Amino acid sequence: MHDTAPATVTARGDIDLATAPRLRRVLARALKAHRDVVLDLSEVTFVDRAGLGALVEARNLAGRRGGRLVLWGAGPRVVRLIRLTGLGGYLAVERGPAVDAAACSERGETRGDSSMGSVPGPRAGAR
């Protein structure tokens, strides 16, 4: 059974070949417990193809389970990469705090917090 409140996972630093596997595990765990997950990318400085793969995999998992993965707060470099790779229409990217309302308002939910453990980057964790 999924928790109806969206989980928020925060990533910091680089999402690359070294850190993408951990992000995959954290997002899979979050999506197992929650229908919707907001991934806060506001402190992510770099994403490579392994990182993009982790995001696509999590988006696919969320879709199969009837949920959503929302990428929140991505910086211009990350947004540009998503657009250049053609994933802009596939990955839900929100650039500001409006994602909190958007992720919750679809079903009249309130925002929930979830402790997801460590996520890639020098300092990582869930809010």
Side-chain angles (χ1 to χ4, degrees):
M1 171 117 87
H2 287 83
D3 188 333
T4 58
T8 298
V9 176
T10 301
R12 294 180 178 93
D14 297 346
I15 303 176
D16 57 18
L17 186 60
T19 59
R22 183 173 214 156
L23 180 62
R24 277 188 170 94
R25 289 190 301 272
V26 170
L27 289 173
R29 191 169 67 219
L31 287 163
K32 186 174 183 179
H34 300 266
R35 181 183 319 167
D36 300 323
V37 172
V38 176
L39 177 58
D40 181 348
L41 298 174
S42 62
E43 295 183 43
V44 169
T45 54
F46 175 78
V47 177
D48 72 2
R49 67 182 179 168
L52 284 176
L55 300 178
V56 168
E57 184 178 308
R59 190 266 184 220
N60 291 342
L61 180 60
R64 284 193 306 270
R65 295 181 175 183
R68 281 180 78 197
L69 173 69
V70 177
L71 308 179
W72 180 84
R77 296 175 100 190
V78 174
V79 171
R80 183 171 185 259
L81 176 65
I82 290 169
R83 286 185 182 144
L84 286 173
T85 57
L87 294 171
Y90 188 70
L91 295 171
V93 179
E94 297 286 340
R95 296 195 66 169
V99 74
D100 293 335
C104 300
S105 67
E106 287 185 21
R107 289 184 275 283
E109 300 165 349
T110 59
R111 181 173 171 181
D113 292 325
S114 177
S115 178
M116 297 285 94
S118 295
V119 186
R123 285 192 48 213
R127 272 193 296 185

